[in-house]
């Protein structure tokens, strides 16, 4: 179901004691043992989770009305735009308005000399050590120059389980969603995904 | 081998004790239920060997008035279990009545199997099947009538009382399901 790289989601283990207390709070004699109940609970929870993972799709959790950047936008403009919208990345479209890539903070950072997986703090440290303006590299370049292309996309009916494994495997934070005609319908970010998992942890359904 | 004996240790704790109101309602329901079954049997049937079947209904009372939530206590199981077991018991007697121990074993084991298959498992059914074999001449003379009376009639009486009394209790409901 989930790739090995991503942490397996395990349900909260309930103890005999929990079940015993719950049984006590219910009026009447329930003729099963706490162990039986735990077994049923585990199996039922597994099925419910499976159903949840299969039936909830990109369409259910995506953000519509995506902020898009053009390939030819300067990086200065792009940075300003992302800051203004309070987002860390956006899909990129070409002159015809077709999705051509995705740009995010990571692309900016690697352009400023960060290796893959280097953090923003490393850039700060280098800047302070060398006193050289690292943002210099961004000058005069456009979104199209540094974006990640081609974009990894999903369709509106991609199940949540698949989305989380793609994000885990590719180590990315956002996935543009294409509708059946191939145009941009929305975007699913890691936080959209996390919000969808909130439903899983809720005991009082 | 170790696993075999390991299983005998058990693995969990016993379920909690019910509170006092549950005890009182269990007592009340079974008192009224068995009174009704007793009255019908003692006054209408008035045959000593038919009284045996009451033993079976005593067991049903535990379930229907003491464990109202249990799948084993639901109408399908109460009525179905007694009727199917009664029919199985009579049949076992007709087949193997010459060898009482065999007929008895056949009656009970087949009753359990058929109750399982028909989703009507009701423990007192085992007694109903057994009584069809060991209940003596007056029961044998009933033939398949034993299925309807006393078995079916007694179960029906318990059901009617269960519907009335269990639903009077504020925190009880009965049945959980019909079919």
């Amino acid at each position: 179901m989930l790739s090995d790289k991503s942490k397996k989601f395990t349900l909260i283990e309930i103890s005999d004691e929990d079940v015993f207390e719950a049984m006590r709070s219910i009026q009447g004699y329930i003729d099963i043992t706490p162990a039986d109940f735990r077994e049923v609970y585990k199996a039922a929870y597994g099925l419910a989770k499976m159903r949840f993972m299969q039936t909830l799709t990109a369409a259910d959790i995506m953000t519509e009305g995506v902020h898009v950047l053009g390939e030819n936008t300067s990086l200065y403009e792009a940075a300003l735009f992302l800051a203004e919208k309070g987002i860390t990345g956006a899909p990129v479209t070409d002159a015809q308005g077709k999705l051509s890539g995705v740009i995010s903070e990571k692309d900016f950072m690697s352009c400023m000399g960060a290796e893959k997986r280097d953090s923003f703090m490393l850039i700060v440290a280098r800047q302070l050590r060398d006193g050289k303006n690292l943002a210099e590299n961004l000058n005069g370049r456009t979104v199209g120059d540094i974006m990640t292309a081609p974009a990894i996309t999903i369709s509106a009916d991609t199940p949540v389980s698949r989305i989380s494994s793609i994000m885990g495997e590719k180590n990315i934070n956002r996935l543009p969603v294409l509708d059946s005609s191939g145009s941009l319908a929305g975007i699913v970010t890691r936080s959209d995904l996390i919000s969808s998992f909130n439903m899983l942890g809720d005991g009082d359904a | 081998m170790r696993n075999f004996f390991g299983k005998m240790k058990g693995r969990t704790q016993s379920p909690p004790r019910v509170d006092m109101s549950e005890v009182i309602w269990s007592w009340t329901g079974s008192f009224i239920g068995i009174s009704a079954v007793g009255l019908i049997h003692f006054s209408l049937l008035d045959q000593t060997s038919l009284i045996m079947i009451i033993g079976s209904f005593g067991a049903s009372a535990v379930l229907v008035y003491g464990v109202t939530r249990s799948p084993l206590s639901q109408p399908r199981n109460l009525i179905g279990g007694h009727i199917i077991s009664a029919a199985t018991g009579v049949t076992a007697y007709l087949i193997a009545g010459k060898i009482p121990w065999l007929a008895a074993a056949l009656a009970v084991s087949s009753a359990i199997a058929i109750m399982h298959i028909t989703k009507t498992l009701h423990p007192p059914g085992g007694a109903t099947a057994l009584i069809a074999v060991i209940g003596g001449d007056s029961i044998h003379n009933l033939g398949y009538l034993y299925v309807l009376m006393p078995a079916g009639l007694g179960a029906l009486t318990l059901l009617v009382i269960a519907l009335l009394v269990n639903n009077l209790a504020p925190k009880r409901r009965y049945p959980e399901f019909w079919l």
Side-chain angles (χ1 to χ4, degrees):
Chain A
M1 189 85 165
L2 294 171
S3 73
D4 292 341
K5 270 190 223 163
S6 57
K7 281 219 173 62
K8 281 258 191 304
F9 175 83
T10 48
L11 74 155
I12 301 169
E13 278 293 338
I14 53 173
S15 68
D16 265 11
E17 206 45 52
D18 297 333
V19 178
F20 187 89
E21 283 309 317
M23 284 166 92
R24 197 152 60 181
S25 71
I26 291 170
Q27 202 75 17
Y29 185 88
I30 305 171
D31 61 338
I32 65 172
T33 61
D36 276 344
F37 177 81
R38 286 222 323 268
E39 233 170 273
V40 171
Y41 168 80
K42 213 172 178 147
Y45 194 96
L47 290 169
K49 196 175 107 191
M50 191 88 92
R51 189 165 33 85
F52 169 87
M53 297 287 252
Q54 294 303 337
T55 54
L56 206 65
T57 62
D60 300 320
I61 67 169
M62 71 185 182
T63 309
E64 290 168 54
V66 195
H67 300 298
V68 182
L69 283 163
E71 272 180 22
N72 299 324
T73 313
S74 76
L75 289 181
Y76 168 70
E77 296 266 339
L80 217 52
F81 175 83
L82 292 176
E84 211 171 90
K85 301 292 178 201
I87 50 180
T88 58
V92 182
T93 51
D94 62 18
Q96 284 76 50
K98 257 181 71 59
L99 183 75
S100 57
V102 174
I103 191 165
S104 75
E105 280 178 352
K106 272 189 209 158
D107 300 309
F108 281 84
M109 273 162 41
S110 56
C111 193
M112 291 165 76
E115 301 293 320
K116 220 180 161 79
R117 298 204 181 278
D118 278 359
S119 74
F120 173 67
M121 284 304 147
L122 200 73
I123 294 175
V124 173
R126 279 196 199 147
Q127 169 90 43
L128 292 173
R129 185 189 63 193
D130 305 340
K132 147 170 174 281
N133 180 9
L134 293 172
E136 199 66 50
N137 292 341
L138 304 176
N139 245 333
R141 301 176 78 176
T142 64
V143 169
D145 296 336
I146 71 161
M147 71 183 183
T148 305
I152 300 167
T153 62
I154 49 176
S155 59
D157 59 6
T158 307
V160 168
S161 54
R162 181 86 197 100
I163 297 174
S164 63
S165 53
I166 294 174
M167 284 188 182
E169 279 162 31
K170 310 278 183 196
N171 192 28
I172 50 180
N173 298 320
R174 57 186 56 72
L175 281 165
V177 183
L178 301 182
D179 62 19
S180 47
S181 65
S183 54
L184 192 64
I187 191 160
V188 173
T189 64
R190 244 173 225 263
S191 43
D192 292 329
L193 197 62
I194 290 165
S195 310
S196 80
F197 280 100
N198 281 347
M199 298 179 219
L200 269 181
D202 218 356
D204 324 317
Chain B
M1 201 62 177
R2 170 175 300 185
N3 185 28
F4 176 71
F5 289 109
K7 285 184 188 171
M8 295 185 192
K9 289 211 299 270
R11 61 165 181 174
T12 185
Q13 54 184 331
S14 59
R17 182 208 306 263
V18 296
D19 59 26
M20 218 49 210
S21 77
E22 198 65 22
V23 175
I24 290 163
W25 280 108
S26 298
W27 187 92
T28 309
S30 51
F31 184 87
I32 299 171
I34 294 295
S35 300
V37 173
L39 282 171
I40 291 172
H41 281 62
F42 286 95
S43 58
L44 296 187
L45 307 174
D46 200 27
Q47 292 178 47
T48 344
S49 54
L50 287 181
I51 301 304
M52 275 192 97
I53 190 79
I54 291 252
S56 189
F57 294 136
S60 285
V62 176
L63 284 167
V64 175
Y65 306 110
V67 203
T68 49
R69 296 165 163 271
S70 170
L72 303 173
S73 309
Q74 302 311 305
R76 176 191 176 104
N77 303 65
L78 171 64
I79 305 288
H82 278 294
I83 284 181
I84 282 167
S85 301
T88 309
V90 173
T91 308
Y93 177 73
L94 293 177
I95 293 170
K98 297 270 186 292
I99 318 166
W101 67 264
L102 179 65
L106 194 62
V108 175
S109 55
S110 305
I112 293 172
I114 299 171
M115 284 193 287
H116 257 314
I117 291 166
T118 53
K119 292 193 0 182
T120 56
L121 202 66
H122 187 65
T128 301
L130 189 57
I131 289 164
V133 173
I134 63 169
D137 289 345
S138 59
I139 290 214
H140 297 154
N141 293 341
L142 289 173
Y144 281 103
L145 182 62
Y146 172 77
V147 175
L148 294 179
M149 204 269 324
L153 178 66
L156 194 65
T157 309
L158 290 177
L159 175 62
V160 171
I161 303 296
L163 289 170
L164 297 173
V165 178
N166 285 337
N167 290 316
L168 274 180
K171 289 184 173 156
R172 280 187 171 190
R173 56 174 313 137
Y174 183 83
E176 294 285 327
F177 58 85
W178 278 97
L179 291 175

